[in-house]
Amino acid sequence: MDSKKEIINSVHKLHINPYFNNILVSEKMKNIASFFLEENSVARVSEMFAKPADKGLASPIHQDNFYWCLVLANALTICLAVDPCSRENGVVSYMRGSRKLGLLPHVNSYAPGSSQTVERKSIPTNLEPVSEILNSGDVLIHHSLTIHWSAANTSGKSRLAMTLQYQGESVRIDPEMLKHYESNLLMQVNMREINTASNEKNS
Ligand SMILES: O=C(O)CCC(=O)C(=O)O
């Protein structure tokens, strides 16, 4: 049995729970987002990245707007550390200044919960990677075009974090980008199902 299947690594619709939705749509959080976006913010979704001790999965290097498909990409994520985090247990790392590059090409990552990754050859080699040590309650805020990733958590320490996503009120979805992303995702989901079925048959 694959023990990785028995644990929760991420929850993509945390805001379905009223407790988390109240945080997402609170004036306090929306005002913080509006300040950085320089226009009124609209709440998108809240997610949980659990990264449990020993078994936390990596998030491959990506830009959020490849998933979000927004024209102008004026959007951001607030990552709230629930557990203290550092490089040891898979803190999020960023490429400084990378949002100025615009949206780079992505390819399928085949990683559960994080299906897209930046095509490596399109990442300039002179970018500086940065990561911070966080205490519980600290936040990181990144633009939807900032290149970021987090490593697997092989340490004995849980690295639970929640995210709150916001976009500017003038921002719209690009239907073509969305179609492209959704077809990539569907292909990976179908392949995973085929592989699971064939593994179960052979076991
Ligand atoms: O928390 C993590 O490990 C990854 C977060 C992330 O990739 C995101 O918020 O887009």
Side-chain angles (χ1 to χ4, degrees), residues 59-63 95 106 116-118 120 123 147-149:
S59 292
I61 191 163
H62 67 281
Q63 293 167 300
M95 290 292 194
H106 283 57
Q116 311 295 321
T117 187
V118 184
R120 290 306 162 111
I123 305 176
I147 297 175
H148 62 286
W149 69 97

Side-chain angles (χ1 to χ4, degrees), residues 136-151:
S136 301
D138 284 350
V139 295
L140 294 168
I141 302 180
H142 64 258
H143 189 269
S144 70
L145 291 174
T146 300
I147 297 175
H148 62 286
W149 69 97
S150 65

Side-chain angles (χ1 to χ4, degrees), residues 116-137:
Q116 311 295 321
T117 187
V118 184
E119 192 180 53
R120 290 306 162 111
K121 66 172 192 262
S122 65
I123 305 176
T125 51
N126 60 351
L127 294 179
E128 181 199 355
V130 282
S131 53
E132 299 291 337
I133 293 174
L134 305 176
N135 291 314
S136 301

Side-chain angles (χ1 to χ4, degrees), residues 47 49 51 57-60 62 64 68 77 79 90-92 114 142 148-151 159 161 163 165:
E47 300 185 324
F49 289 86
K51 276 208 201 288
L57 298 178
S59 292
H62 67 281
D64 291 336
W68 301 356
T77 298
C79 294
V91 71
V92 184
S114 312
H142 64 258
H148 62 286
W149 69 97
S150 65
R159 198 235 64 182
T163 65
Q165 303 173 4

